[in-house]
Amino acid sequence: MGIGPLFVLVLAVFAKESIPKAQWVIATGAFIACTILILAVVSGKSAVQMDLTLPVIVALIASVGCGVGAVLCTMYSKRLSEAGWTTSMILANRYYGIILLSFFATFDIFFKYFSGNISWIIAVTAVGVMLPMYLLQIGIQYCSPLIVMMSLCFVPIFTFFFQMFDSRLSWSPISLLGISLLFILGVCSLYLEKRAVSE
């Protein structure tokens, strides 16, 4: 989430687009807020107490790569939408790679778990993947890539709220600080977008 808005603006610079200073402030702020969240993880002060091990480092690197990939996917989906592709057409062609990679990573246990958990798999697929991705694709169609990336900054608020009901997780003031900053910056980006559209 932190790398996404900033990467959008970097790509806009390469495309020689004019970027208002307020957008730079918001994107940089989102990067700083996510850096605070990463520091909470590596210092062991996040909700999940863990040491800085190789798997944690790999996970953080993967998250950064995911942010870059999300921006590229958003921008390409936007171009497809502008070329006349419908939301359903884009979504129908979006997951070939992830399906193949997931299958190769889990082929040895796939059928065992699939047959015993089919109802949960269908429920999570429908509610946790298909519906959110459909709504996100609609957002991509009608909003700028920066607004799409900034709207994703609201996701940690829900995660933070739901984790308060999990006794395995501990209270994390540093995480609250980072998430609060993301929320404020997300609201500011929506306000600036609304003002720009009205002008």
Side-chain angles (χ1 to χ4, degrees):
M1 280 172 269
I3 199 74
L6 207 53
F7 190 54
V8 167
L9 297 187
V10 169
L11 290 178
V13 167
F14 283 113
K16 298 182 179 178
E17 297 177 15
S18 176
I19 303 166
K21 288 182 181 178
Q23 289 186 353
W24 280 111
V25 170
I26 288 172
T28 305
F31 181 78
I32 291 169
C34 286
T35 302
I36 291 171
L37 293 173
I38 290 171
L39 290 175
V41 171
V42 299
S43 66
K45 295 180 180 176
S46 65
V48 179
Q49 305 298 320
M50 63 177 67
D51 297 322
L52 184 60
T53 59
L54 182 60
V56 172
I57 294 170
V58 169
L60 292 172
I61 293 170
S63 294
V64 172
C66 181
V68 171
V71 171
L72 296 174
C73 186
T74 297
M75 297 184 88
Y76 191 69
S77 294
K78 180 83 173 170
R79 288 184 182 176
L80 290 175
S81 180
E82 290 169 349
W85 285 49
T86 65
T87 298
S88 299
M89 289 168 62
I90 294 170
L91 289 176
N93 293 281
R94 189 168 176 167
Y95 296 105
Y96 300 129
I98 194 69
I99 289 171
L100 287 173
L101 286 172
S102 298
F103 180 75
F104 286 128
T106 61
F107 72 92
D108 55 335
I109 59 171
F110 175 79
F111 294 105
K112 174 186 173 183
Y113 284 97
F114 186 80
S115 60
N117 298 286
I118 185 67
S119 58
W120 282 107
I121 291 171
I122 292 172
V124 169
T125 300
V127 178
V129 179
M130 292 172 63
L131 179 61
M133 290 309 298
Y134 183 80
L135 296 173
L136 179 62
Q137 191 61 50
I138 291 173
I140 291 171
Q141 182 178 350
Y142 293 106
C143 299
S144 69
L146 179 63
I147 289 299
V148 172
M149 290 296 103
M150 286 304 300
S151 68
L152 295 177
C153 290
F154 294 113
V155 172
I157 298 163
F158 297 102
T159 305
F160 190 81
F161 174 75
F162 289 126
Q163 79 181 21
M164 290 192 294
F165 300 99
D166 191 335
S167 59
R168 298 170 298 173
L169 304 176
S170 57
W171 174 255
S172 173
I174 297 178
S175 295
L176 178 62
L177 173 63
I179 290 167
S180 298
L181 283 172
L182 282 175
F183 176 76
I184 291 167
L185 291 163
V187 170
C188 289
S189 69
L190 293 176
Y191 171 76
L192 289 174
E193 179 76 2
K194 182 180 178 182
R195 193 174 70 177
V197 169
S198 62
E199 290 175 354

